[in-house]
Amino acid sequence: MTKEIIIEKITPALEAAGCFLVDVTLSSDNDVEVVIEKEEGSVDWDDCALIDKSFHELFNQDEEDYSLTVSSAGLDRPFKVFRQFQKALGEKVDVKFKGGRRLIATLSAATEDSVTLSYTALEAEEGKKKKVRVDHEDVFPLSEINSVTPYIEFK
């Protein structure tokens, strides 16, 4: 059992469940972790149970001697795959840049190499003491970004 074989075999079951694969890790002790995301909405217990069942049907646990964990990508985990960025279009995200800068913005667009973020910043205006709000929509290369996570807003 290799990561590539796991991905190849589990992908049809994920697609049938309306999910997609975020990550697969396989330890030297055959501990397998499958991280999934839902195409629409949130991953729930039934989704994880269905993927767990499908995995056990695809891989004989007695022969392969593995342990399996199926989990959702979670709100606190950074995006890992392009489909997560696509799903978050129009949503607020928490972006941490290399160098320490942090920005809460709306994800307006995403490509494999960059993200477009919309945000408002307070900026000094020449001749005025009070800062004014300025709307921005800027493109940032992913190479300048450490992580992008969903922004959780408590009201």
Side-chain angles (χ1 to χ4, degrees):
M1 177 174 12
T2 66
K3 182 176 178 176
E4 292 75 21
I5 290 173
I6 292 169
I7 292 169
E8 179 185 322
K9 288 190 172 189
I10 201 66
T11 297
L14 287 165
E15 290 172 354
C19 298
F20 61 89
L21 187 64
V22 173
D23 196 19
V24 171
T25 55
L26 178 62
S27 76
S28 58
D29 294 331
N30 261 7
D31 296 325
V32 179
E33 182 180 17
V34 177
V35 181
I36 61 173
E37 182 63 70
K38 194 89 167 173
E39 290 287 350
E40 293 182 23
S42 301
V43 172
D44 60 25
W45 173 253
D46 291 335
D47 297 317
C48 292
L50 179 65
I51 300 309
D52 180 88
K53 180 178 185 253
S54 298
F55 194 96
H56 286 294
E57 290 171 355
L58 294 166
F59 299 97
N60 185 326
Q61 195 167 17
D62 293 330
E63 291 175 14
E64 302 284 351
D65 190 28
Y66 63 84
S67 69
L68 175 64
T69 303
V70 178
S71 65
S72 73
L75 293 175
D76 60 338
R77 292 187 187 181
F79 295 163
K80 286 189 143 195
V81 297
F82 181 59
R83 286 171 85 173
Q84 288 177 290
F85 288 93
Q86 290 175 307
K87 182 179 175 185
L89 289 175
E91 302 292 330
K92 280 191 175 181
V93 291
D94 185 353
V95 182
K96 294 180 182 136
F97 293 89
K98 294 177 180 173
R101 180 179 171 207
R102 181 178 178 204
L103 180 63
I104 307 299
T106 300
L107 182 62
S108 303
T111 68
E112 296 281 350
D113 302 316
S114 67
V115 292
T116 303
L117 302 174
S118 300
Y119 60 97
T120 302
L122 288 174
E123 297 178 3
E125 191 173 52
E126 192 173 324
K128 294 186 179 180
K129 288 183 179 181
K130 191 174 183 179
K131 291 184 177 184
V132 295
R133 293 184 173 273
V134 178
D135 292 332
H136 291 271
E137 185 168 83
D138 298 326
V139 177
F140 298 95
L142 290 178
S143 61
E144 294 178 6
I145 296 174
N146 274 338
S147 67
V148 177
T149 56
Y151 179 69
I152 304 167
E153 195 168 18
F154 297 100
K155 295 181 180 187

PDB file of all heavy atoms in Angstrom, residues 131-151:
ATOM      1  N   LYS A 131      -7.223  58.947   9.281  1.00  0.00           N
ATOM      2  CA  LYS A 131      -7.063  57.956   8.210  1.00  0.00           C
ATOM      3  C   LYS A 131      -8.416  57.657   7.576  1.00  0.00           C
ATOM      4  O   LYS A 131      -9.450  57.744   8.233  1.00  0.00           O
ATOM      5  CB  LYS A 131      -6.442  56.667   8.765  1.00  0.00           C
ATOM      6  CG  LYS A 131      -5.002  56.844   9.186  1.00  0.00           C
ATOM      7  CD  LYS A 131      -4.396  55.535   9.640  1.00  0.00           C
ATOM      8  CE  LYS A 131      -2.930  55.746   9.987  1.00  0.00           C
ATOM      9  NZ  LYS A 131      -2.283  54.496  10.347  1.00  0.00           N
ATOM     10  N   VAL A 132      -8.380  57.303   6.309  1.00  0.00           N
ATOM     11  CA  VAL A 132      -9.609  56.993   5.581  1.00  0.00           C
ATOM     12  C   VAL A 132      -9.586  55.525   5.142  1.00  0.00           C
ATOM     13  O   VAL A 132      -8.538  54.926   4.970  1.00  0.00           O
ATOM     14  CB  VAL A 132      -9.784  57.907   4.340  1.00  0.00           C
ATOM     15  CG1 VAL A 132      -9.979  59.349   4.762  1.00  0.00           C
ATOM     16  CG2 VAL A 132      -8.627  57.778   3.381  1.00  0.00           C
ATOM     17  N   ARG A 133     -10.780  55.005   4.953  1.00  0.00           N
ATOM     18  CA  ARG A 133     -10.911  53.621   4.490  1.00  0.00           C
ATOM     19  C   ARG A 133     -10.700  53.561   2.982  1.00  0.00           C
ATOM     20  O   ARG A 133     -11.329  54.309   2.239  1.00  0.00           O
ATOM     21  CB  ARG A 133     -12.276  53.054   4.842  1.00  0.00           C
ATOM     22  CG  ARG A 133     -12.499  52.888   6.314  1.00  0.00           C
ATOM     23  CD  ARG A 133     -13.854  52.218   6.570  1.00  0.00           C
ATOM     24  NE  ARG A 133     -14.010  51.901   7.954  1.00  0.00           N
ATOM     25  CZ  ARG A 133     -13.586  50.778   8.531  1.00  0.00           C
ATOM     26  NH1 ARG A 133     -12.964  49.871   7.805  1.00  0.00           N
ATOM     27  NH2 ARG A 133     -13.768  50.556   9.811  1.00  0.00           N
ATOM     28  N   VAL A 134      -9.813  52.645   2.573  1.00  0.00           N
ATOM     29  CA  VAL A 134      -9.537  52.472   1.149  1.00  0.00           C
ATOM     30  C   VAL A 134      -9.761  51.003   0.793  1.00  0.00           C
ATOM     31  O   VAL A 134      -9.217  50.105   1.446  1.00  0.00           O
ATOM     32  CB  VAL A 134      -8.077  52.894   0.813  1.00  0.00           C
ATOM     33  CG1 VAL A 134      -7.791  52.670  -0.662  1.00  0.00           C
ATOM     34  CG2 VAL A 134      -7.833  54.344   1.206  1.00  0.00           C
ATOM     35  N   ASP A 135     -10.594  50.766  -0.226  1.00  0.00           N
ATOM     36  CA  ASP A 135     -10.854  49.398  -0.680  1.00  0.00           C
ATOM     37  C   ASP A 135      -9.735  48.944  -1.611  1.00  0.00           C
ATOM     38  O   ASP A 135      -9.265  49.707  -2.453  1.00  0.00           O
ATOM     39  CB  ASP A 135     -12.198  49.324  -1.419  1.00  0.00           C
ATOM     40  CG  ASP A 135     -13.378  49.545  -0.492  1.00  0.00           C
ATOM     41  OD1 ASP A 135     -13.265  49.232   0.705  1.00  0.00           O
ATOM     42  OD2 ASP A 135     -14.416  50.048  -0.970  1.00  0.00           O
ATOM     43  N   HIS A 136      -9.341  47.683  -1.428  1.00  0.00           N
ATOM     44  CA  HIS A 136      -8.278  47.096  -2.246  1.00  0.00           C
ATOM     45  C   HIS A 136      -8.754  45.766  -2.811  1.00  0.00           C
ATOM     46  O   HIS A 136      -9.538  45.062  -2.188  1.00  0.00           O
ATOM     47  CB  HIS A 136      -7.029  46.805  -1.394  1.00  0.00           C
ATOM     48  CG  HIS A 136      -6.326  48.020  -0.920  1.00  0.00           C
ATOM     49  ND1 HIS A 136      -5.350  48.646  -1.631  1.00  0.00           N
ATOM     50  CD2 HIS A 136      -6.463  48.724   0.229  1.00  0.00           C
ATOM     51  CE1 HIS A 136      -4.904  49.679  -0.956  1.00  0.00           C
ATOM     52  NE2 HIS A 136      -5.564  49.759   0.172  1.00  0.00           N
ATOM     53  N   GLU A 137      -8.241  45.434  -3.971  1.00  0.00           N
ATOM     54  CA  GLU A 137      -8.371  44.085  -4.531  1.00  0.00           C
ATOM     55  C   GLU A 137      -7.020  43.791  -5.161  1.00  0.00           C
ATOM     56  O   GLU A 137      -6.706  44.303  -6.234  1.00  0.00           O
ATOM     57  CB  GLU A 137      -9.503  43.974  -5.543  1.00  0.00           C
ATOM     58  CG  GLU A 137      -9.687  42.531  -6.005  1.00  0.00           C
ATOM     59  CD  GLU A 137     -10.964  42.312  -6.779  1.00  0.00           C
ATOM     60  OE1 GLU A 137     -10.962  42.586  -7.984  1.00  0.00           O
ATOM     61  OE2 GLU A 137     -11.939  41.846  -6.148  1.00  0.00           O
ATOM     62  N   ASP A 138      -6.223  42.984  -4.456  1.00  0.00           N
ATOM     63  CA  ASP A 138      -4.845  42.734  -4.864  1.00  0.00           C
ATOM     64  C   ASP A 138      -4.605  41.251  -5.114  1.00  0.00           C
ATOM     65  O   ASP A 138      -5.203  40.390  -4.456  1.00  0.00           O
ATOM     66  CB  ASP A 138      -3.867  43.213  -3.783  1.00  0.00           C
ATOM     67  CG  ASP A 138      -3.967  44.717  -3.543  1.00  0.00           C
ATOM     68  OD1 ASP A 138      -4.228  45.454  -4.509  1.00  0.00           O
ATOM     69  OD2 ASP A 138      -3.779  45.142  -2.385  1.00  0.00           O
ATOM     70  N   VAL A 139      -3.712  40.985  -6.042  1.00  0.00           N
ATOM     71  CA  VAL A 139      -3.304  39.620  -6.362  1.00  0.00           C
ATOM     72  C   VAL A 139      -1.996  39.336  -5.631  1.00  0.00           C
ATOM     73  O   VAL A 139      -1.063  40.135  -5.690  1.00  0.00           O
ATOM     74  CB  VAL A 139      -3.118  39.435  -7.883  1.00  0.00           C
ATOM     75  CG1 VAL A 139      -2.630  38.022  -8.194  1.00  0.00           C
ATOM     76  CG2 VAL A 139      -4.412  39.737  -8.610  1.00  0.00           C
ATOM     77  N   PHE A 140      -1.936  38.192  -4.934  1.00  0.00           N
ATOM     78  CA  PHE A 140      -0.744  37.795  -4.205  1.00  0.00           C
ATOM     79  C   PHE A 140      -0.291  36.418  -4.682  1.00  0.00           C
ATOM     80  O   PHE A 140      -1.100  35.485  -4.713  1.00  0.00           O
ATOM     81  CB  PHE A 140      -1.022  37.718  -2.695  1.00  0.00           C
ATOM     82  CG  PHE A 140      -1.432  39.032  -2.092  1.00  0.00           C
ATOM     83  CD1 PHE A 140      -2.774  39.355  -1.940  1.00  0.00           C
ATOM     84  CD2 PHE A 140      -0.477  39.947  -1.687  1.00  0.00           C
ATOM     85  CE1 PHE A 140      -3.151  40.571  -1.381  1.00  0.00           C
ATOM     86  CE2 PHE A 140      -0.845  41.166  -1.117  1.00  0.00           C
ATOM     87  CZ  PHE A 140      -2.188  41.476  -0.970  1.00  0.00           C
ATOM     88  N   PRO A 141       0.979  36.273  -5.035  1.00  0.00           N
ATOM     89  CA  PRO A 141       1.480  34.938  -5.398  1.00  0.00           C
ATOM     90  C   PRO A 141       1.487  34.020  -4.175  1.00  0.00           C
ATOM     91  O   PRO A 141       1.799  34.468  -3.068  1.00  0.00           O
ATOM     92  CB  PRO A 141       2.906  35.201  -5.877  1.00  0.00           C
ATOM     93  CG  PRO A 141       3.121  36.667  -5.845  1.00  0.00           C
ATOM     94  CD  PRO A 141       1.990  37.305  -5.130  1.00  0.00           C
ATOM     95  N   LEU A 142       1.128  32.778  -4.370  1.00  0.00           N
ATOM     96  CA  LEU A 142       1.143  31.821  -3.254  1.00  0.00           C
ATOM     97  C   LEU A 142       2.549  31.655  -2.681  1.00  0.00           C
ATOM     98  O   LEU A 142       2.699  31.301  -1.514  1.00  0.00           O
ATOM     99  CB  LEU A 142       0.570  30.477  -3.693  1.00  0.00           C
ATOM    100  CG  LEU A 142      -0.935  30.469  -3.961  1.00  0.00           C
ATOM    101  CD1 LEU A 142      -1.381  29.098  -4.450  1.00  0.00           C
ATOM    102  CD2 LEU A 142      -1.729  30.882  -2.733  1.00  0.00           C
ATOM    103  N   SER A 143       3.566  31.950  -3.462  1.00  0.00           N
ATOM    104  CA  SER A 143       4.948  31.840  -2.984  1.00  0.00           C
ATOM    105  C   SER A 143       5.253  32.849  -1.875  1.00  0.00           C
ATOM    106  O   SER A 143       6.202  32.672  -1.127  1.00  0.00           O
ATOM    107  CB  SER A 143       5.932  32.028  -4.142  1.00  0.00           C
ATOM    108  OG  SER A 143       5.770  33.316  -4.717  1.00  0.00           O
ATOM    109  N   GLU A 144       4.419  33.886  -1.728  1.00  0.00           N
ATOM    110  CA  GLU A 144       4.604  34.880  -0.670  1.00  0.00           C
ATOM    111  C   GLU A 144       3.760  34.590   0.566  1.00  0.00           C
ATOM    112  O   GLU A 144       3.792  35.336   1.538  1.00  0.00           O
ATOM    113  CB  GLU A 144       4.236  36.280  -1.195  1.00  0.00           C
ATOM    114  CG  GLU A 144       5.139  36.795  -2.278  1.00  0.00           C
ATOM    115  CD  GLU A 144       4.702  38.171  -2.796  1.00  0.00           C
ATOM    116  OE1 GLU A 144       3.759  38.769  -2.242  1.00  0.00           O
ATOM    117  OE2 GLU A 144       5.322  38.638  -3.770  1.00  0.00           O
ATOM    118  N   ILE A 145       2.987  33.506   0.516  1.00  0.00           N
ATOM    119  CA  ILE A 145       2.016  33.206   1.571  1.00  0.00           C
ATOM    120  C   ILE A 145       2.425  31.945   2.319  1.00  0.00           C
ATOM    121  O   ILE A 145       2.756  30.928   1.716  1.00  0.00           O
ATOM    122  CB  ILE A 145       0.612  33.045   0.962  1.00  0.00           C
ATOM    123  CG1 ILE A 145       0.172  34.374   0.335  1.00  0.00           C
ATOM    124  CG2 ILE A 145      -0.388  32.567   2.004  1.00  0.00           C
ATOM    125  CD1 ILE A 145      -1.127  34.306  -0.433  1.00  0.00           C
ATOM    126  N   ASN A 146       2.359  32.028   3.655  1.00  0.00           N
ATOM    127  CA  ASN A 146       2.610  30.847   4.492  1.00  0.00           C
ATOM    128  C   ASN A 146       1.363  29.974   4.591  1.00  0.00           C
ATOM    129  O   ASN A 146       1.445  28.763   4.483  1.00  0.00           O
ATOM    130  CB  ASN A 146       3.047  31.251   5.900  1.00  0.00           C
ATOM    131  CG  ASN A 146       4.526  31.492   6.014  1.00  0.00           C
ATOM    132  OD1 ASN A 146       5.311  31.001   5.209  1.00  0.00           O
ATOM    133  ND2 ASN A 146       4.922  32.269   7.002  1.00  0.00           N
ATOM    134  N   SER A 147       0.201  30.603   4.853  1.00  0.00           N
ATOM    135  CA  SER A 147      -1.011  29.806   4.999  1.00  0.00           C
ATOM    136  C   SER A 147      -2.257  30.637   4.742  1.00  0.00           C
ATOM    137  O   SER A 147      -2.270  31.847   4.928  1.00  0.00           O
ATOM    138  CB  SER A 147      -1.087  29.202   6.410  1.00  0.00           C
ATOM    139  OG  SER A 147      -1.269  30.224   7.385  1.00  0.00           O
ATOM    140  N   VAL A 148      -3.302  29.944   4.305  1.00  0.00           N
ATOM    141  CA  VAL A 148      -4.631  30.518   4.137  1.00  0.00           C
ATOM    142  C   VAL A 148      -5.599  29.570   4.847  1.00  0.00           C
ATOM    143  O   VAL A 148      -5.611  28.374   4.569  1.00  0.00           O
ATOM    144  CB  VAL A 148      -5.034  30.655   2.644  1.00  0.00           C
ATOM    145  CG1 VAL A 148      -6.451  31.193   2.505  1.00  0.00           C
ATOM    146  CG2 VAL A 148      -4.036  31.509   1.889  1.00  0.00           C
ATOM    147  N   THR A 149      -6.379  30.126   5.778  1.00  0.00           N
ATOM    148  CA  THR A 149      -7.367  29.331   6.494  1.00  0.00           C
ATOM    149  C   THR A 149      -8.723  30.054   6.436  1.00  0.00           C
ATOM    150  O   THR A 149      -8.756  31.276   6.244  1.00  0.00           O
ATOM    151  CB  THR A 149      -6.987  29.123   7.983  1.00  0.00           C
ATOM    152  OG1 THR A 149      -6.796  30.406   8.604  1.00  0.00           O
ATOM    153  CG2 THR A 149      -5.729  28.292   8.123  1.00  0.00           C
ATOM    154  N   PRO A 150      -9.797  29.311   6.618  1.00  0.00           N
ATOM    155  CA  PRO A 150     -11.098  29.994   6.702  1.00  0.00           C
ATOM    156  C   PRO A 150     -11.078  30.951   7.886  1.00  0.00           C
ATOM    157  O   PRO A 150     -10.479  30.663   8.919  1.00  0.00           O
ATOM    158  CB  PRO A 150     -12.094  28.858   6.945  1.00  0.00           C
ATOM    159  CG  PRO A 150     -11.394  27.615   6.532  1.00  0.00           C
ATOM    160  CD  PRO A 150      -9.933  27.862   6.757  1.00  0.00           C
ATOM    161  N   TYR A 151     -11.723  32.096   7.742  1.00  0.00           N
ATOM    162  CA  TYR A 151     -11.824  33.049   8.845  1.00  0.00           C
ATOM    163  C   TYR A 151     -13.107  32.767   9.602  1.00  0.00           C
ATOM    164  O   TYR A 151     -14.184  32.698   9.014  1.00  0.00           O
ATOM    165  CB  TYR A 151     -11.815  34.484   8.326  1.00  0.00           C
ATOM    166  CG  TYR A 151     -11.943  35.505   9.425  1.00  0.00           C
ATOM    167  CD1 TYR A 151     -10.903  35.703  10.329  1.00  0.00           C
ATOM    168  CD2 TYR A 151     -13.110  36.244   9.577  1.00  0.00           C
ATOM    169  CE1 TYR A 151     -11.022  36.629  11.348  1.00  0.00           C
ATOM    170  CE2 TYR A 151     -13.224  37.186  10.592  1.00  0.00           C
ATOM    171  CZ  TYR A 151     -12.176  37.369  11.483  1.00  0.00           C
ATOM    172  OH  TYR A 151     -12.296  38.282  12.497  1.00  0.00           O
TER     173      TYR A 151
END
